[in-house]
Amino acid sequence: SSRVRPFIYSEAEIAWIIAAAKALPSIYGLRGWTCSTLFGLIAVTGLRISEALALDPADLDGENGVLRVRRGKLGKERLLPLDPTVVTQLLSYAAERDRLLERVPDAFFVTCQGTRLTDWSARYNFAHTCQRIGLRAHQHYNRHGRGPRIHDLRHTFAVRTMINWY
């Protein structure tokens, strides 16, 4: 089987994705907040989508700038140090999420109803965002089409880390 070739995003493309995701339509704006924060977190940490979606509010230690990834690959747990700017963004999202929902939800990344964002929903919103900024061809009937994937944010993080290593 042939593997899909990774797409490496430019800094500008990542910024466009985050900005376009923030503008995703929803009644109270929570969809845009959730998707832009999720996509940004994956871009700056290299988290797997499943790891990010499995996060709960208690997994963010804003005081110490650490994210607890409980459900990593092969069920392993790890602590991820975060840049202070990332902590600030995550805390802002959490405060706005809790204000809009009028409660602290069970999951960190949630839908407008307060339920955990699903893998399908995250991928759909990412594809829709990429269509809006021209990284994917527009599709009819809510189809995703082919093009850069959310997982490619992880590839981009890995490539940048390796380049900066030397």
Side-chain angles (χ1 to χ4, degrees):
S1 73
S2 65
R3 289 186 140 181
V4 176
R5 188 169 180 198
F7 182 90
I8 305 302
Y9 296 97
S10 69
E11 294 284 336
E13 288 167 335
I14 292 171
W16 295 334
I17 288 167
I18 292 168
K22 194 149 199 160
L24 285 167
S26 66
I27 297 170
Y28 305 111
L30 187 55
R31 179 182 176 202
W33 263 99
T34 297
C35 291
S36 63
T37 306
L38 172 68
F39 304 158
L41 180 66
I42 292 171
V44 299
T45 62
L47 279 176
R48 293 172 179 86
I49 180 84
S50 60
E51 293 170 336
L53 294 175
L55 293 172
D56 292 338
D59 293 331
L60 174 62
D61 178 350
E63 202 171 303
N64 295 304
V66 175
L67 193 62
R68 184 170 144 235
V69 181
R70 288 173 293 104
R71 295 185 214 136
K73 191 170 185 176
L74 305 174
K76 294 189 177 176
E77 183 174 313
R78 70 182 187 280
L79 297 176
L80 192 64
L82 299 172
D83 186 88
T85 59
V86 177
V87 174
T88 300
Q89 187 62 41
L90 292 175
L91 290 173
S92 295
Y93 164 71
E96 184 65 5
R97 174 202 66 205
D98 298 352
R99 185 187 73 76
L100 289 170
L101 294 174
E102 299 180 340
R103 64 184 170 85
V104 177
D106 294 334
F108 193 84
F109 292 109
V110 296
T111 65
C112 294
Q113 292 76 35
T115 59
R116 187 177 301 274
L117 190 68
T118 64
D119 181 79
W120 182 90
S121 183
R123 290 175 197 278
Y124 169 79
N125 282 297
F126 188 81
H128 186 68
T129 298
C130 287
Q131 287 172 4
R132 291 180 75 170
I133 63 171
L135 281 177
R136 279 180 178 233
H138 181 74
Q139 301 287 313
H140 295 289
Y141 313 111
N142 291 330
R143 298 187 78 130
H144 294 203
R146 295 193 182 274
R149 303 161 304 153
I150 195 168
H151 190 72
D152 292 324
L153 290 171
R154 179 173 161 78
H155 290 298
T156 301
F157 173 82
V159 167
R160 294 239 165 82
T161 301
M162 293 300 291
I163 288 171
N164 293 329
W165 196 317
Y166 294 106

